[in-house]
């Protein structure tokens, strides 16, 4: 799967799995999504990256979220003119 | 973002278009900050920031500022370690 499709697949999966992730993992946990599915989690970001590499994944292609954080789908950026 | 990110993060749609999320390693030893931080990539945001000053490369928002103490006025801005003496 090309990078763009993988990226979009994981973004869509996160939106779909957001509530389940919040209910399953304790706050502060780093959770990794690849191929549209949760594939790993860890208390530490660097440990998660190591886990992903052990799994044969390129961490830069994997979507990572941290439980307990807000990830709005939309936002307004204020800018002075 | 392509060069610096440690992992992808959730994207967000904004008034500047889609911002690509990515996890970056924040390193500010003067403020004892060394941790992953979610950032967002956008050429449109960089262009807007550079309208203020050509050296600007982007915007730093509340997720970073909330790791510190900060303040200022129209002429100055300061940033310091939480709990540090003024």
């Amino acid at each position: 799967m090309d990078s763009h499709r993988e990226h979009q697949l994981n973004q869509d999966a996160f939106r779909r799995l957001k509530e389940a992730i919040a209910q399953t993992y304790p706050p502060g946990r780093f959770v990794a999504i690849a191929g549209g599915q949760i594939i790993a989690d860890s208390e530490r970001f660097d440990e998660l990256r190591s886990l992903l590499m052990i799994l044969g994944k390129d961490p830069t292609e994997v979507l990572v979220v941290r439980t307990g954080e807000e990830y709005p789908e939309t936002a307004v950026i204020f800018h002075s003119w | 973002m392509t060069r610096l990110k440690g992992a992808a993060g959730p994207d967000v749609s904004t008034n500047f278009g889609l911002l690509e999320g990515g996890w970056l390693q924040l390193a500010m030893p003067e403020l004892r900050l060394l941790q992953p931080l979610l950032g967002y990539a956008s050429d449109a945001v960089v262009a807007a920031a550079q309208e203020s000053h050509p050296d600007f490369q982007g915007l730093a928002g509340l997720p970073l500022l909330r790791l510190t103490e900060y303040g200022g006025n129209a002429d100055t801005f300061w940033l310091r370690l939480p709990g540090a003496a003024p």
Side-chain angles (χ1 to χ4, degrees):
Chain A
M1 185 182 305
D2 66 51
S3 292
H4 179 75
R5 285 180 60 195
E6 172 78 12
H7 180 87
Q8 197 55 54
L9 179 69
N10 295 333
Q11 295 287 327
D12 293 342
F14 168 60
R15 300 299 174 199
R16 189 178 68 249
L17 295 169
K18 190 188 291 191
E19 282 193 31
I21 290 171
Q23 290 170 4
T24 304
Y25 299 93
R29 195 83 178 171
F30 291 97
V31 178
I33 298 172
Q37 298 180 331
I38 295 169
I39 62 167
D41 65 281
S42 179
E43 186 179 343
R44 290 173 53 96
F45 183 78
D46 54 351
E47 286 179 359
L48 182 61
R49 276 182 48 89
S50 297
L51 272 173
L52 293 175
M53 288 188 276
I54 289 169
L55 291 172
K57 301 293 184 182
D58 176 356
T60 64
E61 301 282 319
V62 176
L63 175 61
V64 173
V65 296
R66 191 172 195 189
T67 53
E69 302 284 337
E70 290 291 324
Y71 298 110
E73 293 188 40
T74 62
V76 175
I77 299 173
F78 295 105
H79 177 247
S80 63
W81 299 101
Chain B
M1 180 65 77
T2 301
R3 279 186 300 135
L4 296 178
K5 71 178 179 184
D11 297 340
V12 60
S13 294
T14 75
N15 49 316
F16 282 86
L18 186 69
L19 307 189
E20 175 195 339
W23 287 91
L24 307 169
Q25 180 70 351
L26 173 67
M28 300 177 74
E30 301 88 347
L31 297 178
R32 298 180 198 164
L33 293 175
L34 181 66
Q35 62 185 79
L37 185 77
L38 186 62
Y40 296 94
S42 164
D43 290 337
V45 170
V46 170
Q50 289 177 334
E51 289 176 11
S52 295
H53 194 287
D55 289 346
F56 287 166
Q57 295 295 306
L59 296 174
L62 286 176
L64 171 62
L65 294 176
R66 284 174 175 156
L67 298 175
T68 70
E69 290 182 357
Y70 59 93
N73 55 29
D75 299 314
T76 63
F77 179 79
W78 55 266
L79 195 67
R80 70 185 181 202
L81 191 65

